[in-house]
PDB file of all heavy atoms in Angstrom:
ATOM      1  N   GLY A 104     109.846 134.154 115.463  1.00  0.00           N
ATOM      2  CA  GLY A 104     111.066 134.023 115.873  1.00  0.00           C
ATOM      3  C   GLY A 104     111.408 132.675 116.466  1.00  0.00           C
ATOM      4  O   GLY A 104     110.872 132.201 117.444  1.00  0.00           O
ATOM      5  N   VAL A 105     112.350 132.025 115.875  1.00  0.00           N
ATOM      6  CA  VAL A 105     112.698 130.572 116.154  1.00  0.00           C
ATOM      7  C   VAL A 105     113.745 130.494 117.254  1.00  0.00           C
ATOM      8  O   VAL A 105     113.578 129.744 118.280  1.00  0.00           O
ATOM      9  CB  VAL A 105     113.176 129.798 114.974  1.00  0.00           C
ATOM     10  CG1 VAL A 105     113.636 128.328 115.338  1.00  0.00           C
ATOM     11  CG2 VAL A 105     112.143 129.720 113.855  1.00  0.00           C
ATOM     12  N   SER A 106     114.741 131.244 117.127  1.00  0.00           N
ATOM     13  CA  SER A 106     115.888 131.163 118.049  1.00  0.00           C
ATOM     14  C   SER A 106     116.831 132.448 117.828  1.00  0.00           C
ATOM     15  O   SER A 106     117.126 132.775 116.758  1.00  0.00           O
ATOM     16  CB  SER A 106     116.808 129.984 117.922  1.00  0.00           C
ATOM     17  OG  SER A 106     117.817 129.932 118.844  1.00  0.00           O
ATOM     18  N   CYS A 107     117.145 133.142 118.962  1.00  0.00           N
ATOM     19  CA  CYS A 107     117.888 134.365 118.890  1.00  0.00           C
ATOM     20  C   CYS A 107     118.875 134.402 119.984  1.00  0.00           C
ATOM     21  O   CYS A 107     118.539 133.867 121.167  1.00  0.00           O
ATOM     22  CB  CYS A 107     117.002 135.633 118.981  1.00  0.00           C
ATOM     23  SG  CYS A 107     115.882 135.726 117.523  1.00  0.00           S
ATOM     24  N   ILE A 108     120.029 135.029 119.689  1.00  0.00           N
ATOM     25  CA  ILE A 108     121.044 135.199 120.685  1.00  0.00           C
ATOM     26  C   ILE A 108     121.141 136.737 120.925  1.00  0.00           C
ATOM     27  O   ILE A 108     121.177 137.582 120.103  1.00  0.00           O
ATOM     28  CB  ILE A 108     122.365 134.796 120.180  1.00  0.00           C
ATOM     29  CG1 ILE A 108     122.432 133.283 119.939  1.00  0.00           C
ATOM     30  CG2 ILE A 108     123.541 135.008 121.346  1.00  0.00           C
ATOM     31  CD1 ILE A 108     123.660 132.671 119.381  1.00  0.00           C
ATOM     32  N   GLY A 109     121.121 137.114 122.200  1.00  0.00           N
ATOM     33  CA  GLY A 109     121.295 138.509 122.555  1.00  0.00           C
ATOM     34  C   GLY A 109     122.507 139.154 122.162  1.00  0.00           C
ATOM     35  O   GLY A 109     123.575 138.416 121.859  1.00  0.00           O
ATOM     36  N   SER A 110     122.571 140.554 122.105  1.00  0.00           N
ATOM     37  CA  SER A 110     123.768 141.125 121.663  1.00  0.00           C
ATOM     38  C   SER A 110     124.940 140.918 122.506  1.00  0.00           C
ATOM     39  O   SER A 110     126.119 141.049 121.903  1.00  0.00           O
ATOM     40  CB  SER A 110     123.426 142.712 121.579  1.00  0.00           C
ATOM     41  OG  SER A 110     123.036 143.152 122.884  1.00  0.00           O
ATOM     42  N   SER A 111     124.767 140.637 123.667  1.00  0.00           N
ATOM     43  CA  SER A 111     125.909 140.275 124.583  1.00  0.00           C
ATOM     44  C   SER A 111     126.539 138.818 124.349  1.00  0.00           C
ATOM     45  O   SER A 111     127.557 138.614 124.781  1.00  0.00           O
ATOM     46  CB  SER A 111     125.507 140.390 126.014  1.00  0.00           C
ATOM     47  OG  SER A 111     124.676 139.362 126.376  1.00  0.00           O
ATOM     48  N   GLY A 112     125.694 138.029 123.632  1.00  0.00           N
ATOM     49  CA  GLY A 112     126.063 136.721 123.394  1.00  0.00           C
ATOM     50  C   GLY A 112     125.777 135.739 124.636  1.00  0.00           C
ATOM     51  O   GLY A 112     126.096 134.549 124.540  1.00  0.00           O
ATOM     52  N   ARG A 113     125.264 136.291 125.630  1.00  0.00           N
ATOM     53  CA  ARG A 113     125.106 135.515 126.826  1.00  0.00           C
ATOM     54  C   ARG A 113     123.719 134.913 126.948  1.00  0.00           C
ATOM     55  O   ARG A 113     123.478 133.929 127.647  1.00  0.00           O
ATOM     56  CB  ARG A 113     125.318 136.290 128.059  1.00  0.00           C
ATOM     57  CG  ARG A 113     126.826 136.752 128.189  1.00  0.00           C
ATOM     58  CD  ARG A 113     127.172 137.307 129.629  1.00  0.00           C
ATOM     59  NE  ARG A 113     126.278 138.524 129.851  1.00  0.00           N
ATOM     60  CZ  ARG A 113     126.698 139.740 129.699  1.00  0.00           C
ATOM     61  NH1 ARG A 113     127.902 139.925 129.113  1.00  0.00           N
ATOM     62  NH2 ARG A 113     125.860 140.666 129.975  1.00  0.00           N
ATOM     63  N   SER A 114     122.663 135.494 126.344  1.00  0.00           N
ATOM     64  CA  SER A 114     121.292 135.032 126.412  1.00  0.00           C
ATOM     65  C   SER A 114     120.910 134.460 125.120  1.00  0.00           C
ATOM     66  O   SER A 114     121.112 134.974 124.090  1.00  0.00           O
ATOM     67  CB  SER A 114     120.366 136.200 126.895  1.00  0.00           C
ATOM     68  OG  SER A 114     120.363 137.174 125.974  1.00  0.00           O
ATOM     69  N   THR A 115     120.193 133.272 125.213  1.00  0.00           N
ATOM     70  CA  THR A 115     119.743 132.565 124.023  1.00  0.00           C
ATOM     71  C   THR A 115     118.270 132.201 124.258  1.00  0.00           C
ATOM     72  O   THR A 115     117.826 131.738 125.280  1.00  0.00           O
ATOM     73  CB  THR A 115     120.493 131.363 123.766  1.00  0.00           C
ATOM     74  OG1 THR A 115     121.884 131.613 123.609  1.00  0.00           O
ATOM     75  CG2 THR A 115     120.036 130.666 122.512  1.00  0.00           C
ATOM     76  N   TYR A 116     117.423 132.467 123.215  1.00  0.00           N
ATOM     77  CA  TYR A 116     116.038 132.308 123.241  1.00  0.00           C
ATOM     78  C   TYR A 116     115.716 131.160 122.150  1.00  0.00           C
ATOM     79  O   TYR A 116     116.236 131.136 121.112  1.00  0.00           O
ATOM     80  CB  TYR A 116     115.296 133.537 122.961  1.00  0.00           C
ATOM     81  CG  TYR A 116     113.826 133.231 122.641  1.00  0.00           C
ATOM     82  CD1 TYR A 116     112.832 133.243 123.639  1.00  0.00           C
ATOM     83  CD2 TYR A 116     113.441 133.163 121.321  1.00  0.00           C
ATOM     84  CE1 TYR A 116     111.545 133.029 123.404  1.00  0.00           C
ATOM     85  CE2 TYR A 116     112.055 132.874 121.009  1.00  0.00           C
ATOM     86  CZ  TYR A 116     111.080 132.821 122.036  1.00  0.00           C
ATOM     87  OH  TYR A 116     109.747 132.635 121.766  1.00  0.00           O
ATOM     88  N   TYR A 117     114.783 130.350 122.622  1.00  0.00           N
ATOM     89  CA  TYR A 117     114.212 129.319 121.601  1.00  0.00           C
ATOM     90  C   TYR A 117     112.660 129.356 121.745  1.00  0.00           C
ATOM     91  O   TYR A 117     112.241 129.342 122.953  1.00  0.00           O
ATOM     92  CB  TYR A 117     114.715 127.909 122.015  1.00  0.00           C
ATOM     93  CG  TYR A 117     116.118 127.564 121.695  1.00  0.00           C
ATOM     94  CD1 TYR A 117     117.098 127.690 122.644  1.00  0.00           C
ATOM     95  CD2 TYR A 117     116.543 127.306 120.387  1.00  0.00           C
ATOM     96  CE1 TYR A 117     118.435 127.498 122.386  1.00  0.00           C
ATOM     97  CE2 TYR A 117     117.912 127.141 120.088  1.00  0.00           C
ATOM     98  CZ  TYR A 117     118.885 127.235 121.143  1.00  0.00           C
ATOM     99  OH  TYR A 117     120.144 126.913 120.895  1.00  0.00           O
ATOM    100  N   ALA A 118     111.981 129.372 120.630  1.00  0.00           N
ATOM    101  CA  ALA A 118     110.615 129.209 120.693  1.00  0.00           C
ATOM    102  C   ALA A 118     110.151 127.830 121.273  1.00  0.00           C
ATOM    103  O   ALA A 118     110.890 126.863 121.132  1.00  0.00           O
ATOM    104  CB  ALA A 118     110.027 129.325 119.320  1.00  0.00           C
ATOM    105  N   ASP A 119     109.096 127.788 122.073  1.00  0.00           N
ATOM    106  CA  ASP A 119     108.708 126.605 122.686  1.00  0.00           C
ATOM    107  C   ASP A 119     108.496 125.493 121.720  1.00  0.00           C
ATOM    108  O   ASP A 119     108.815 124.333 122.026  1.00  0.00           O
ATOM    109  CB  ASP A 119     107.348 126.796 123.468  1.00  0.00           C
ATOM    110  CG  ASP A 119     107.419 127.716 124.641  1.00  0.00           C
ATOM    111  OD1 ASP A 119     108.633 127.871 125.122  1.00  0.00           O
ATOM    112  OD2 ASP A 119     106.520 128.189 125.115  1.00  0.00           O
ATOM    113  N   SER A 120     108.148 125.774 120.473  1.00  0.00           N
ATOM    114  CA  SER A 120     107.928 124.664 119.434  1.00  0.00           C
ATOM    115  C   SER A 120     109.206 124.025 119.078  1.00  0.00           C
ATOM    116  O   SER A 120     109.098 122.936 118.510  1.00  0.00           O
ATOM    117  CB  SER A 120     107.202 125.297 118.333  1.00  0.00           C
ATOM    118  OG  SER A 120     107.904 126.400 117.750  1.00  0.00           O
ATOM    119  N   VAL A 121     110.331 124.706 119.196  1.00  0.00           N
ATOM    120  CA  VAL A 121     111.607 124.048 118.753  1.00  0.00           C
ATOM    121  C   VAL A 121     112.560 123.746 119.865  1.00  0.00           C
ATOM    122  O   VAL A 121     113.577 123.074 119.629  1.00  0.00           O
ATOM    123  CB  VAL A 121     112.320 124.965 117.716  1.00  0.00           C
ATOM    124  CG1 VAL A 121     111.336 125.405 116.525  1.00  0.00           C
ATOM    125  CG2 VAL A 121     112.755 126.218 118.461  1.00  0.00           C
ATOM    126  N   LYS A 122     112.286 124.252 121.043  1.00  0.00           N
ATOM    127  CA  LYS A 122     113.172 123.963 122.162  1.00  0.00           C
ATOM    128  C   LYS A 122     113.429 122.461 122.357  1.00  0.00           C
ATOM    129  O   LYS A 122     112.526 121.669 122.479  1.00  0.00           O
ATOM    130  CB  LYS A 122     112.644 124.561 123.447  1.00  0.00           C
ATOM    131  CG  LYS A 122     113.667 124.673 124.598  1.00  0.00           C
ATOM    132  CD  LYS A 122     113.118 125.452 125.694  1.00  0.00           C
ATOM    133  CE  LYS A 122     114.238 125.711 126.775  1.00  0.00           C
ATOM    134  NZ  LYS A 122     113.727 126.545 127.916  1.00  0.00           N
ATOM    135  N   GLY A 123     114.690 122.173 122.490  1.00  0.00           N
ATOM    136  CA  GLY A 123     115.106 120.761 122.674  1.00  0.00           C
ATOM    137  C   GLY A 123     115.321 120.070 121.356  1.00  0.00           C
ATOM    138  O   GLY A 123     116.051 118.961 121.328  1.00  0.00           O
ATOM    139  N   ARG A 124     114.998 120.718 120.284  1.00  0.00           N
ATOM    140  CA  ARG A 124     115.299 120.170 119.008  1.00  0.00           C
ATOM    141  C   ARG A 124     116.173 120.901 117.988  1.00  0.00           C
ATOM    142  O   ARG A 124     116.920 120.329 117.231  1.00  0.00           O
ATOM    143  CB  ARG A 124     113.971 119.879 118.157  1.00  0.00           C
ATOM    144  CG  ARG A 124     112.892 119.018 118.948  1.00  0.00           C
ATOM    145  CD  ARG A 124     111.692 118.739 118.024  1.00  0.00           C
ATOM    146  NE  ARG A 124     110.984 119.942 117.810  1.00  0.00           N
ATOM    147  CZ  ARG A 124     110.768 120.439 116.518  1.00  0.00           C
ATOM    148  NH1 ARG A 124     111.226 119.913 115.370  1.00  0.00           N
ATOM    149  NH2 ARG A 124     110.018 121.614 116.395  1.00  0.00           N
ATOM    150  N   PHE A 125     116.047 122.289 118.266  1.00  0.00           N
ATOM    151  CA  PHE A 125     116.973 123.185 117.500  1.00  0.00           C
ATOM    152  C   PHE A 125     118.116 123.661 118.250  1.00  0.00           C
ATOM    153  O   PHE A 125     117.855 123.926 119.621  1.00  0.00           O
ATOM    154  CB  PHE A 125     116.115 124.327 116.877  1.00  0.00           C
ATOM    155  CG  PHE A 125     115.194 123.969 115.864  1.00  0.00           C
ATOM    156  CD1 PHE A 125     114.923 122.532 115.595  1.00  0.00           C
ATOM    157  CD2 PHE A 125     114.570 124.940 115.072  1.00  0.00           C
ATOM    158  CE1 PHE A 125     113.883 122.276 114.575  1.00  0.00           C
ATOM    159  CE2 PHE A 125     113.555 124.535 114.104  1.00  0.00           C
ATOM    160  CZ  PHE A 125     113.333 123.257 113.899  1.00  0.00           C
ATOM    161  N   THR A 126     119.277 124.014 117.676  1.00  0.00           N
ATOM    162  CA  THR A 126     120.353 124.615 118.443  1.00  0.00           C
ATOM    163  C   THR A 126     120.855 125.738 117.463  1.00  0.00           C
ATOM    164  O   THR A 126     121.364 125.399 116.485  1.00  0.00           O
ATOM    165  CB  THR A 126     121.375 123.597 118.802  1.00  0.00           C
ATOM    166  OG1 THR A 126     120.873 122.535 119.628  1.00  0.00           O
ATOM    167  CG2 THR A 126     122.534 124.339 119.562  1.00  0.00           C
ATOM    168  N   ILE A 127     121.023 126.999 118.118  1.00  0.00           N
ATOM    169  CA  ILE A 127     121.650 128.079 117.396  1.00  0.00           C
ATOM    170  C   ILE A 127     123.014 128.134 117.844  1.00  0.00           C
ATOM    171  O   ILE A 127     123.335 127.896 118.989  1.00  0.00           O
ATOM    172  CB  ILE A 127     120.881 129.368 117.598  1.00  0.00           C
ATOM    173  CG1 ILE A 127     121.459 130.440 116.639  1.00  0.00           C
ATOM    174  CG2 ILE A 127     120.908 129.787 119.054  1.00  0.00           C
ATOM    175  CD1 ILE A 127     120.594 131.692 116.696  1.00  0.00           C
ATOM    176  N   SER A 128     123.915 128.473 116.939  1.00  0.00           N
ATOM    177  CA  SER A 128     125.299 128.503 117.264  1.00  0.00           C
ATOM    178  C   SER A 128     125.998 129.607 116.387  1.00  0.00           C
ATOM    179  O   SER A 128     125.469 129.983 115.254  1.00  0.00           O
ATOM    180  CB  SER A 128     126.128 127.283 117.176  1.00  0.00           C
ATOM    181  OG  SER A 128     126.123 126.729 115.879  1.00  0.00           O
ATOM    182  N   ARG A 129     127.223 130.063 116.663  1.00  0.00           N
ATOM    183  CA  ARG A 129     127.902 131.092 115.896  1.00  0.00           C
ATOM    184  C   ARG A 129     129.318 130.762 115.740  1.00  0.00           C
ATOM    185  O   ARG A 129     130.022 130.362 116.693  1.00  0.00           O
ATOM    186  CB  ARG A 129     127.746 132.439 116.558  1.00  0.00           C
ATOM    187  CG  ARG A 129     128.514 133.686 115.993  1.00  0.00           C
ATOM    188  CD  ARG A 129     128.096 134.931 116.655  1.00  0.00           C
ATOM    189  NE  ARG A 129     128.367 134.827 118.058  1.00  0.00           N
ATOM    190  CZ  ARG A 129     127.853 135.672 118.938  1.00  0.00           C
ATOM    191  NH1 ARG A 129     127.034 136.678 118.517  1.00  0.00           N
ATOM    192  NH2 ARG A 129     128.084 135.480 120.272  1.00  0.00           N
ATOM    193  N   ASP A 130     129.933 130.849 114.610  1.00  0.00           N
ATOM    194  CA  ASP A 130     131.256 130.636 114.308  1.00  0.00           C
ATOM    195  C   ASP A 130     131.909 132.052 113.970  1.00  0.00           C
ATOM    196  O   ASP A 130     131.698 132.554 112.885  1.00  0.00           O
ATOM    197  CB  ASP A 130     131.471 129.697 113.075  1.00  0.00           C
ATOM    198  CG  ASP A 130     132.985 129.352 112.814  1.00  0.00           C
ATOM    199  OD1 ASP A 130     133.864 130.214 113.157  1.00  0.00           O
ATOM    200  OD2 ASP A 130     133.178 128.338 112.341  1.00  0.00           O
ATOM    201  N   SER A 131     132.615 132.566 114.961  1.00  0.00           N
ATOM    202  CA  SER A 131     133.108 133.872 114.844  1.00  0.00           C
ATOM    203  C   SER A 131     134.183 133.982 113.670  1.00  0.00           C
ATOM    204  O   SER A 131     134.165 134.909 112.978  1.00  0.00           O
ATOM    205  CB  SER A 131     133.874 134.325 116.065  1.00  0.00           C
ATOM    206  OG  SER A 131     132.781 134.343 117.214  1.00  0.00           O
ATOM    207  N   ALA A 132     134.970 132.914 113.553  1.00  0.00           N
ATOM    208  CA  ALA A 132     136.058 133.052 112.500  1.00  0.00           C
ATOM    209  C   ALA A 132     135.377 133.098 111.144  1.00  0.00           C
ATOM    210  O   ALA A 132     135.878 133.767 110.189  1.00  0.00           O
ATOM    211  CB  ALA A 132     136.908 131.846 112.657  1.00  0.00           C
ATOM    212  N   ALA A 133     134.359 132.422 110.929  1.00  0.00           N
ATOM    213  CA  ALA A 133     133.656 132.302 109.643  1.00  0.00           C
ATOM    214  C   ALA A 133     132.539 133.444 109.570  1.00  0.00           C
ATOM    215  O   ALA A 133     131.905 133.599 108.484  1.00  0.00           O
ATOM    216  CB  ALA A 133     133.027 130.896 109.454  1.00  0.00           C
ATOM    217  N   ASN A 134     132.292 134.120 110.603  1.00  0.00           N
ATOM    218  CA  ASN A 134     131.284 135.071 110.654  1.00  0.00           C
ATOM    219  C   ASN A 134     129.959 134.534 110.230  1.00  0.00           C
ATOM    220  O   ASN A 134     129.244 135.100 109.417  1.00  0.00           O
ATOM    221  CB  ASN A 134     131.708 136.300 109.777  1.00  0.00           C
ATOM    222  CG  ASN A 134     130.909 137.593 110.243  1.00  0.00           C
ATOM    223  OD1 ASN A 134     130.682 137.839 111.430  1.00  0.00           O
ATOM    224  ND2 ASN A 134     130.750 138.522 109.318  1.00  0.00           N
ATOM    225  N   THR A 135     129.581 133.473 110.716  1.00  0.00           N
ATOM    226  CA  THR A 135     128.519 132.657 110.287  1.00  0.00           C
ATOM    227  C   THR A 135     127.644 132.165 111.501  1.00  0.00           C
ATOM    228  O   THR A 135     128.175 131.774 112.506  1.00  0.00           O
ATOM    229  CB  THR A 135     128.920 131.398 109.504  1.00  0.00           C
ATOM    230  OG1 THR A 135     129.647 131.945 108.312  1.00  0.00           O
ATOM    231  CG2 THR A 135     127.728 130.610 109.016  1.00  0.00           C
ATOM    232  N   VAL A 136     126.345 132.302 111.362  1.00  0.00           N
ATOM    233  CA  VAL A 136     125.528 131.685 112.385  1.00  0.00           C
ATOM    234  C   VAL A 136     124.694 130.455 111.757  1.00  0.00           C
ATOM    235  O   VAL A 136     124.486 130.379 110.634  1.00  0.00           O
ATOM    236  CB  VAL A 136     124.415 132.833 112.706  1.00  0.00           C
ATOM    237  CG1 VAL A 136     123.553 133.188 111.634  1.00  0.00           C
ATOM    238  CG2 VAL A 136     123.551 132.264 113.860  1.00  0.00           C
ATOM    239  N   TYR A 137     124.485 129.481 112.671  1.00  0.00           N
ATOM    240  CA  TYR A 137     123.971 128.174 112.239  1.00  0.00           C
ATOM    241  C   TYR A 137     122.781 127.925 113.061  1.00  0.00           C
ATOM    242  O   TYR A 137     122.548 128.316 114.107  1.00  0.00           O
ATOM    243  CB  TYR A 137     124.962 127.063 112.468  1.00  0.00           C
ATOM    244  CG  TYR A 137     126.328 127.210 111.803  1.00  0.00           C
ATOM    245  CD1 TYR A 137     127.390 127.759 112.397  1.00  0.00           C
ATOM    246  CD2 TYR A 137     126.429 126.698 110.442  1.00  0.00           C
ATOM    247  CE1 TYR A 137     128.631 127.985 111.798  1.00  0.00           C
ATOM    248  CE2 TYR A 137     127.662 126.836 109.778  1.00  0.00           C
ATOM    249  CZ  TYR A 137     128.696 127.503 110.520  1.00  0.00           C
ATOM    250  OH  TYR A 137     129.948 127.675 109.802  1.00  0.00           O
ATOM    251  N   LEU A 138     121.887 127.105 112.452  1.00  0.00           N
ATOM    252  CA  LEU A 138     120.675 126.565 113.142  1.00  0.00           C
ATOM    253  C   LEU A 138     120.696 125.120 112.917  1.00  0.00           C
ATOM    254  O   LEU A 138     120.413 124.580 111.818  1.00  0.00           O
ATOM    255  CB  LEU A 138     119.428 127.134 112.711  1.00  0.00           C
ATOM    256  CG  LEU A 138     118.217 126.775 113.461  1.00  0.00           C
ATOM    257  CD1 LEU A 138     118.262 127.306 114.941  1.00  0.00           C
ATOM    258  CD2 LEU A 138     116.900 127.195 112.809  1.00  0.00           C
ATOM    259  N   GLN A 139     121.075 124.289 113.834  1.00  0.00           N
ATOM    260  CA  GLN A 139     121.014 122.832 113.753  1.00  0.00           C
ATOM    261  C   GLN A 139     119.593 122.429 114.123  1.00  0.00           C
ATOM    262  O   GLN A 139     119.252 122.599 115.345  1.00  0.00           O
ATOM    263  CB  GLN A 139     122.038 122.117 114.697  1.00  0.00           C
ATOM    264  CG  GLN A 139     122.022 120.592 114.653  1.00  0.00           C
ATOM    265  CD  GLN A 139     122.347 120.050 113.304  1.00  0.00           C
ATOM    266  OE1 GLN A 139     123.391 120.431 112.797  1.00  0.00           O
ATOM    267  NE2 GLN A 139     121.568 119.124 112.814  1.00  0.00           N
ATOM    268  N   MET A 140     118.901 121.757 113.178  1.00  0.00           N
ATOM    269  CA  MET A 140     117.624 121.204 113.427  1.00  0.00           C
ATOM    270  C   MET A 140     117.446 119.732 113.503  1.00  0.00           C
ATOM    271  O   MET A 140     117.934 119.080 112.412  1.00  0.00           O
ATOM    272  CB  MET A 140     116.721 121.847 112.368  1.00  0.00           C
ATOM    273  CG  MET A 140     116.772 123.343 112.256  1.00  0.00           C
ATOM    274  SD  MET A 140     115.641 124.007 111.054  1.00  0.00           S
ATOM    275  CE  MET A 140     116.141 123.217 109.504  1.00  0.00           C
ATOM    276  N   SER A 141     116.919 119.211 114.456  1.00  0.00           N
ATOM    277  CA  SER A 141     116.866 117.748 114.675  1.00  0.00           C
ATOM    278  C   SER A 141     115.460 117.421 114.938  1.00  0.00           C
ATOM    279  O   SER A 141     114.643 118.222 115.304  1.00  0.00           O
ATOM    280  CB  SER A 141     117.785 117.259 115.730  1.00  0.00           C
ATOM    281  OG  SER A 141     119.140 117.574 115.480  1.00  0.00           O
ATOM    282  N   SER A 142     115.073 116.114 114.746  1.00  0.00           N
ATOM    283  CA  SER A 142     113.735 115.665 115.053  1.00  0.00           C
ATOM    284  C   SER A 142     112.667 116.516 114.450  1.00  0.00           C
ATOM    285  O   SER A 142     111.632 116.910 114.995  1.00  0.00           O
ATOM    286  CB  SER A 142     113.450 115.573 116.566  1.00  0.00           C
ATOM    287  OG  SER A 142     114.351 114.800 117.162  1.00  0.00           O
ATOM    288  N   LEU A 143     112.915 116.781 113.217  1.00  0.00           N
ATOM    289  CA  LEU A 143     112.022 117.697 112.402  1.00  0.00           C
ATOM    290  C   LEU A 143     110.624 117.181 112.250  1.00  0.00           C
ATOM    291  O   LEU A 143     110.412 115.929 112.063  1.00  0.00           O
ATOM    292  CB  LEU A 143     112.659 118.094 111.098  1.00  0.00           C
ATOM    293  CG  LEU A 143     113.841 119.009 110.985  1.00  0.00           C
ATOM    294  CD1 LEU A 143     114.627 118.874 109.751  1.00  0.00           C
ATOM    295  CD2 LEU A 143     113.316 120.402 111.277  1.00  0.00           C
ATOM    296  N   LYS A 144     109.745 118.057 112.293  1.00  0.00           N
ATOM    297  CA  LYS A 144     108.320 117.768 112.200  1.00  0.00           C
ATOM    298  C   LYS A 144     107.644 118.566 110.969  1.00  0.00           C
ATOM    299  O   LYS A 144     108.261 119.549 110.543  1.00  0.00           O
ATOM    300  CB  LYS A 144     107.519 118.250 113.448  1.00  0.00           C
ATOM    301  CG  LYS A 144     108.057 117.683 114.737  1.00  0.00           C
ATOM    302  CD  LYS A 144     107.363 118.327 115.909  1.00  0.00           C
ATOM    303  CE  LYS A 144     107.909 117.856 117.231  1.00  0.00           C
ATOM    304  NZ  LYS A 144     107.157 118.402 118.401  1.00  0.00           N
ATOM    305  N   PRO A 145     106.577 117.963 110.445  1.00  0.00           N
ATOM    306  CA  PRO A 145     105.932 118.618 109.318  1.00  0.00           C
ATOM    307  C   PRO A 145     105.656 120.173 109.592  1.00  0.00           C
ATOM    308  O   PRO A 145     105.744 120.986 108.686  1.00  0.00           O
ATOM    309  CB  PRO A 145     104.738 117.947 108.996  1.00  0.00           C
ATOM    310  CG  PRO A 145     105.080 116.505 109.418  1.00  0.00           C
ATOM    311  CD  PRO A 145     106.040 116.647 110.707  1.00  0.00           C
TER     312      PRO A 145
END
């Protein structure tokens, strides 16, 4: 599990290995979830 948002939308979890580098977000209008990944590692 890399990153998850709770059903309420208020709690967000990031795995320790990606915290600070990855960001999860949701576009309600597009009904789409995103994962922005930066400083990627092998």
Side-chain angles (χ1 to χ4, degrees):
V105 175
S106 182
C107 296
I108 301 175
S110 59
S111 69
R113 296 193 299 270
S114 63
T115 303
Y116 165 88
Y117 292 96
D119 289 342
S120 59
V121 307
K122 192 171 185 178
R124 300 187 297 117
F125 291 11
T126 302
I127 188 171
S128 62
R129 175 176 54 199
D130 184 332
S131 296
N134 205 30
T135 300
V136 61
Y137 302 93
L138 185 68
Q139 177 65 50
M140 306 184 295
S141 300
S142 301
L143 284 163
K144 305 174 181 180

